[in-house]
Amino acid sequence: MFRRILIANRGEIAARILRSCQKLGIETVCVYSDADAELGYLKQATKSIPIGEAAAYKSYLNQDILLRTAQETDCEAIHPGYGFLSENALFATRCEQQKLTFIGPKPHQIRMMGDKATAIKTMKAAGLPVISGASDEFPLLIKATAGGGGKGIRLVKSASEFEAAYSEAQAEAEKSFSNSELYLEKFIPNARHIEFQVLADAYGKVIHLGERECSIQKRHQKLLEESPAPNFPESLRNSMGQKIINALSKIGYLGAGTLEFLLDSNQNLYFMEMNTRIQVEHPVTEFVTGLDLIAWQIKIAAGEHLDVDYQGPEGHAIECRINAEAPGIIRKLEIPDNIRFDTYLENNTQVTPYYDSMLGKLIAHGKSRPEALSKLKHALENFVIEGVPTTQKLHQAILEDQNFIKGQYTCAFFEDFIWPK
């Protein structure tokens, strides 16, 4: 096992990784920008090192500073988290060159899956069903090959919209990923967004840990996730799970990852992309499997055998992302008992405009979906966060929606959803 790890991330992500490192007895080095200097979790790290200005993400994306800091603090590995540099093949390569373990897949695997068009071709060849490329029929999707986080995506409903939408997607892709390449994809109406969590060790063992439902999205940004997916056949979970294991075994995948699919109205799953990292929504899988996914990600990177097997979900878990709608100072924070809230917040924490708006994640687990839903409703009713406007009331409204309660919703959920702010 590693003696000391540098956590190359911030906020809720860094705090989450720090907790798993502490459980494993690993020393930690946390880095921070000037805007994050007062965040409470930094005090729990073995060392906390300033790395520069917050503006334009320069600090947390500065590979030279991060690598130098890891060397100067005698770290053996770098955990990139699940944002920033977690899917950057160049950074993973540079870690290897400097004899630092990059806690994630090998650089060539990151590169292979980072280009969405290449990932689709690769997984199709490995036996997964994929969405066909768009023809001259509409509607269709324009998507960035280096995409992520809902960036560089445009839905085109008619030929007259295509040119403007293509230009917009291209500009957004260039701005977000420094890569303007796009590809076209057939649009599947009323689809559900389903993803499978996977782990693979260095000895050829690959497992899947079931699926998550991620269809509650606004502008392609996920707001709420649950596991297992409601009204999802066990036979489909088992058959697709085995196909995923076979596909990842063929390409020799290593580490944690998430395969994202669209589920059509006829219960057909189509591979869209693979994220070569842990996802924000991983806690719902942790609840229904009893596994610490960050800890396993670290153990696999350290060369340990993956000595667990998936036996199916235990109960049900639902997570809602609490996002800030404007910067400010957290004046009051009260977290209900018997609920998991993954966050970096404390009273008087400054929420800056420099980074992602997510403040934390409320996660409820129950023996059944109704029980988990009831626990999450109760938590939202008793959750207090003052000082910045948040999405708390939006989540409360979603949980009262009859289609959501029945588990009968798709990615088109917000098209008919109306709620009073």
Side-chain angles (χ1 to χ4, degrees):
M1 182 48 65
F2 304 113
R3 181 180 59 83
R4 180 176 291 181
I5 287 174
L6 182 134
I7 301 174
N9 218 295
R10 66 170 299 280
E12 180 271 325
I13 296 171
R16 170 68 188 87
I17 297 167
L18 184 60
R19 291 201 303 274
S20 288
C21 287
Q22 288 173 333
K23 286 198 296 184
L24 292 170
I26 300 170
E27 296 180 358
T28 52
V29 174
C30 282
V31 294
Y32 62 91
S33 70
D34 56 355
D36 289 343
E38 301 302 319
L39 295 184
Y41 68 85
L42 296 172
K43 301 181 183 69
Q44 300 173 34
T46 307
K47 291 185 178 181
S48 295
I49 308 293
I51 55 170
E53 297 180 1
Y57 298 95
K58 290 179 181 177
S59 49
Y60 294 102
L61 291 177
N62 191 315
Q63 297 184 26
D64 292 336
I65 290 178
L66 293 170
L67 292 167
R68 185 169 65 248
T69 300
Q71 296 285 10
E72 291 175 350
T73 55
D74 297 320
C75 290
E76 299 161 297
I78 294 181
H79 198 307
Y82 29 105
F84 290 141
L85 297 171
S86 61
E87 293 182 286
N88 189 299
L90 174 60
F91 185 60
T93 299
R94 293 186 68 186
C95 286
E96 285 189 350
Q97 291 170 344
Q98 297 195 26
K99 309 301 181 186
L100 292 162
T101 300
F102 177 84
I103 299 177
K106 296 300 182 183
H108 74 276
Q109 295 171 338
I110 298 173
R111 196 174 295 111
M112 179 194 304
M113 293 300 158
D115 183 293
K116 309 306 179 189
T118 300
I120 288 171
K121 291 178 183 177
T122 301
M123 287 308 192
K124 182 179 181 181
L128 292 186
V130 303
I131 303 171
S132 63
S135 61
D136 57 356
E137 296 181 3
F138 292 90
L140 58 82
L141 286 174
I142 300 172
K143 302 179 78 172
T145 61
K151 303 292 186 182
I153 300 176
R154 292 295 184 277
L155 171 62
V156 184
K157 297 181 179 179
S158 66
S160 62
E161 301 175 1
F162 184 84
E163 188 173 342
Y166 194 93
S167 296
E168 290 175 5
Q170 195 168 49
E172 187 172 67
E174 178 64 34
K175 180 180 178 181
S176 300
F177 314 114
S178 300
N179 184 339
S180 62
E181 292 184 21
L182 306 172
Y183 67 101
L184 305 182
E185 185 178 275
K186 178 183 176 182
F187 176 69
I188 299 177
N190 298 312
R192 293 166 61 185
H193 188 134
I194 303 292
E195 62 186 28
F196 276 75
Q197 176 72 58
V198 296
L199 292 172
D201 68 15
Y203 310 99
K205 181 170 183 178
V206 182
I207 64 171
H208 80 87
L209 297 172
E211 81 289 347
R212 296 187 286 255
E213 174 82 61
C214 305
S215 298
I216 302 292
Q217 301 179 16
K218 204 167 187 179
R219 293 184 291 276
H220 303 291
Q221 295 287 329
K222 298 170 186 174
L223 291 177
L224 182 149
E225 301 93 0
E226 55 183 312
S227 185
N231 303 311
F232 190 83
E234 183 178 358
S235 59
L236 184 56
R237 176 184 303 124
N238 294 337
S239 62
M240 184 52 67
Q242 190 57 54
K243 288 179 181 178
I244 289 169
I245 290 171
N246 294 341
L248 295 184
S249 296
K250 284 182 180 179
I251 67 172
Y253 191 76
L254 175 69
T258 311
L259 289 86
E260 305 205 4
F261 295 81
L262 286 181
L263 179 70
D264 69 14
S265 56
N266 294 317
Q267 301 282 31
N268 296 308
L269 277 169
Y270 300 98
F271 172 80
M272 287 193 298
E273 62 183 71
M274 182 177 186
N275 293 299
T276 54
R277 56 178 169 81
I278 288 285
Q279 297 275 91
V280 172
E281 56 272 18
H282 73 274
V284 293
T285 298
E286 292 187 321
F287 267 124
V288 299
T289 62
L291 300 175
D292 182 331
L293 296 185
I294 301 292
W296 269 111
Q297 191 183 26
I298 294 170
K299 287 193 277 189
I300 288 169
E304 293 194 15
H305 284 268
L306 180 57
D307 60 353
V308 296
D309 292 294
Y310 177 67
Q311 302 297 329
E314 293 288 336
H316 199 96
I318 309 177
E319 166 188 298
C320 60
R321 306 186 186 196
I322 305 297
N323 294 332
E325 296 185 316
I329 297 174
I330 302 299
R331 299 299 183 190
K332 186 176 183 181
L333 179 65
E334 293 182 0
I335 304 165
D337 294 333
N338 302 317
I339 198 76
R340 175 171 164 177
F341 185 50
D342 283 8
T343 190
Y344 67 98
L345 298 180
E346 298 176 331
N347 284 315
N348 299 314
T349 297
Q350 175 80 47
V351 178
T352 72
Y354 300 113
Y355 305 112
D356 185 270
S357 63
M358 195 181 73
L359 302 176
K361 303 169 298 192
L362 277 171
I363 313 108
H365 180 236
K367 295 178 181 178
S368 64
R369 186 172 187 267
E371 182 179 319
L373 183 55
S374 176
K375 287 183 177 180
L376 188 56
K377 283 182 179 180
H378 182 266
L380 282 165
E381 289 168 1
N382 293 279
F383 179 68
V384 176
I385 183 166
E386 297 178 0
V388 298
T390 74
T391 54
Q392 180 178 354
K393 291 189 180 299
L394 171 60
H395 284 293
Q396 288 179 285
I398 292 171
L399 298 191
E400 295 295 338
D401 181 87
Q402 287 303 307
N403 288 327
F404 181 79
I405 291 171
K406 296 174 184 176
Q408 298 174 346
Y409 62 91
T410 71
C411 295
F413 177 83
F414 277 101
E415 290 182 7
D416 300 316
F417 181 73
I418 300 174
W419 68 286
K421 291 189 178 181

